[in-house]
Amino acid sequence: MRLFVGDDWAQDHHDVEVMNEAGRVLAKKRLPGGVAGMAGLHELIGRQLGDDDAAEVVIGTGTDHGPWVGALVAAGYSVFAVNPLQASRYRERHGVSGAKSDSGDAHMLTDMVRTDSHQLRAVAGDSADAEGLKVVARTRKTLIWERTRQVQRLRHQLLEYFPAALEAFDDLDAPDTLELLGKAPEPARAAKLTRAQVSAALKRAGRRNITERATAVLAALRSERLGQPPAVTAAYAVTVRSLIAVITTLNHEVKTLQGQVEADFGRHPDAEIYRSQPGMGAVLGARVLGEFGDDPHRYADGKARRNYAGTSPLTRAPGKKKVVAARFICNSRLVDALNAQAFSALKASPGARALYDELRARGIEHNDALRRLANRLVGILHGCLKTRTLYDEATAWSHRQNLPQSSVAA
């Protein structure tokens, strides 16, 4: 016996429907979230199963993470996470009017897993360590992106009333920049900073060539520039102090989370394999591991992993027309990490450098060449994880030896 369940979730409730293999609706109900809702779902399914201990329950839901999904997997159900775009397209099979409701979506999910579960991706059985690593690594990267936004706001503010600061400080989130701008956010006060104050800030920040650097900073701060009225300058100075406080806090938290990421990554059994990959250190390895997960059965082969990574090309061949393009629907965080690895691998791996140079010589743009290189590196990573071996330069690029350049594709 097989039962199919659709679970359309919201923040505080779940609309569920139970269907048999013939497509007949057996039950439907709105359940609360949390423990009470999970108990209600088990009871609802149990009433339909009766004493059939060998029955299979297949559940379709709209998310692949969270305590609710974890509880479904732990209960032994086969859980499929349906992408919202897939759900939207499937909904049109039931009707083209555009009508939408929670109960209707639950019915759609139920019927979808009944007829198309073989086309869907089951929720991966990643370990708790991998899930925790993903949370910490993602949060660290999110704070870095947020810091970039705050730095751009700071740059805009300085451009409006204190452009000399942009000439004096080339790195607005550096400790010496934040310290000196925090002391003197007004042009007049900044011009009165002494060489000793500037040199001390540079030394605390670990700068080199302190004497030359201090001279350049003071020259820029003391140069004559057009300015704003005193009241406007004072207002901008207040906002700059606030932005500096936010950026300083973000710097501290990013550094703290980096230590946590490195510690968690070092304890994972796959860490050594990831570290052996060219251009991949602890933080980058943690990001890639977290996004790929560590379920050994999640990817059937290297092609499946590359498709999920978004690095493999997408082919459209309707009729006599054939177009090969990059994938745009993908895990953007994973793509960002893999592109960073590919760029770093240019120095760490002669084979990666040779492939990139060849692609560029063929007229392929930098970003596309990096994407193709990342695609190759994902395949290498998959092979290393499958065979539980470390990266080896000669083995990874042996297939490209003694081949004419025109016959080599990424």
Side-chain angles (χ1 to χ4, degrees):
M1 181 180 179
R2 299 182 76 197
L3 284 182
F4 302 91
V5 180
D7 177 3
D8 183 70
W9 65 278
Q11 184 173 351
D12 58 351
H13 67 269
H14 295 257
D15 284 273
V16 299
E17 180 174 298
V18 183
M19 185 182 293
N20 64 13
E21 293 180 272
R24 185 167 68 89
V25 177
L26 303 177
K28 56 174 58 180
K29 191 174 183 180
R30 170 166 287 190
L31 300 172
V35 175
M38 185 58 61
L41 178 62
H42 293 331
E43 181 184 356
L44 187 67
I45 294 173
R47 285 202 298 266
Q48 306 304 324
L49 291 177
D51 297 328
D52 190 352
D53 297 332
E56 180 186 6
V57 178
V58 182
I59 298 181
T61 185
T63 182
D64 63 351
H65 60 275
W68 182 273
V69 174
L72 294 177
V73 174
Y77 302 137
S78 298
V79 184
F80 293 89
V82 180
N83 184 280
L85 185 60
Q86 288 178 299
S88 177
R89 296 292 184 268
Y90 193 87
R91 190 182 297 114
E92 295 175 357
R93 292 171 56 176
H94 289 253
V96 295
S97 65
K100 187 179 184 304
S101 66
D102 292 344
S103 60
D105 285 349
H107 175 73
M108 178 269 297
L109 288 169
T110 311
D111 198 54
M112 191 173 186
V113 293
R114 182 180 70 89
T115 60
D116 292 275
S117 59
H118 62 289
Q119 301 283 4
L120 301 175
R121 184 190 297 272
V123 172
D126 294 331
S127 68
D129 289 339
E131 288 290 340
L133 184 60
K134 179 169 72 172
V135 170
V136 179
R138 278 191 170 190
T139 302
R140 176 187 172 275
K141 189 59 181 179
T142 299
L143 293 184
I144 290 176
W145 286 335
E146 181 58 33
R147 180 177 62 187
T148 300
R149 294 188 184 96
Q150 298 301 331
V151 168
Q152 291 302 321
R153 293 187 178 104
L154 176 60
R155 184 180 301 278
H156 177 75
Q157 296 287 71
L158 293 174
L159 186 62
E160 291 294 320
Y161 85 107
F162 193 5
L166 298 179
E167 181 180 332
F169 308 113
D170 55 353
D171 190 0
L172 292 181
D173 62 356
D176 54 318
T177 301
L178 297 174
E179 179 182 342
L180 293 174
L181 276 179
K183 288 181 178 179
E186 302 91 348
R189 183 178 296 181
K192 296 179 181 179
L193 288 172
T194 65
R195 179 175 293 273
Q197 289 175 312
V198 175
S199 298
L202 294 173
K203 185 175 181 179
R204 282 190 288 270
R207 295 280 191 174
R208 298 180 179 179
N209 302 321
I210 292 178
T211 302
E212 295 80 359
R213 178 64 181 161
T215 300
V217 169
L218 290 173
L221 294 178
R222 294 171 182 176
S223 61
E224 293 186 3
R225 305 294 176 101
L226 296 176
Q228 295 275 15
V232 177
T233 297
Y236 274 118
V238 170
T239 62
V240 164
R241 280 197 178 95
S242 297
L243 291 172
I244 288 173
V246 172
I247 296 171
T248 301
T249 301
L250 288 172
N251 279 343
H252 178 267
E253 295 306 319
V254 167
K255 185 177 180 180
T256 300
L257 284 177
Q258 178 171 333
Q260 188 65 50
V261 168
E262 292 173 348
D264 292 349
F265 177 67
R267 290 191 293 267
H268 196 279
D270 293 342
E272 190 176 3
I273 295 177
Y274 275 88
R275 277 182 175 272
S276 71
Q277 305 301 307
M280 190 175 290
V283 173
L284 200 55
R287 292 178 60 197
V288 176
L289 191 158
E291 298 303 331
F292 272 137
D294 61 355
D295 183 353
H297 307 295
R298 182 173 187 175
Y299 307 101
D301 50 29
K303 181 180 179 181
R305 188 182 289 269
R306 290 193 295 268
N307 289 345
Y308 178 77
T311 56
S312 61
L314 183 67
T315 302
R316 297 186 179 92
K320 297 181 179 180
K321 185 178 180 181
K322 182 178 180 180
V323 177
V324 180
R327 294 175 184 263
F328 292 99
I329 300 177
C330 54
N331 183 334
S332 59
R333 289 178 179 269
L334 179 56
V335 169
D336 180 77
L338 292 173
N339 283 341
Q341 183 209 353
F343 185 75
S344 298
L346 297 179
K347 291 184 178 180
S349 167
R353 183 79 227 190
L355 174 58
Y356 173 83
D357 290 341
E358 178 189 323
L359 293 171
R360 295 289 283 139
R362 286 160 47 188
I364 296 174
E365 296 292 335
H366 168 73
N367 288 335
D368 192 11
L370 277 186
R371 193 268 309 164
R372 297 186 188 207
L373 174 56
N375 192 48
R376 173 60 189 157
L377 293 175
V378 170
I380 294 172
L381 172 64
H382 181 82
C384 290
L385 291 171
K386 183 179 180 180
T387 59
R388 307 307 299 173
T389 56
L390 302 182
Y391 172 85
D392 179 75
E393 182 75 16
T395 303
W397 304 98
S398 60
H399 68 291
R400 295 177 54 82
Q401 295 177 1
N402 302 321
L403 291 178
Q405 289 192 356
S406 60
S407 68
V408 178

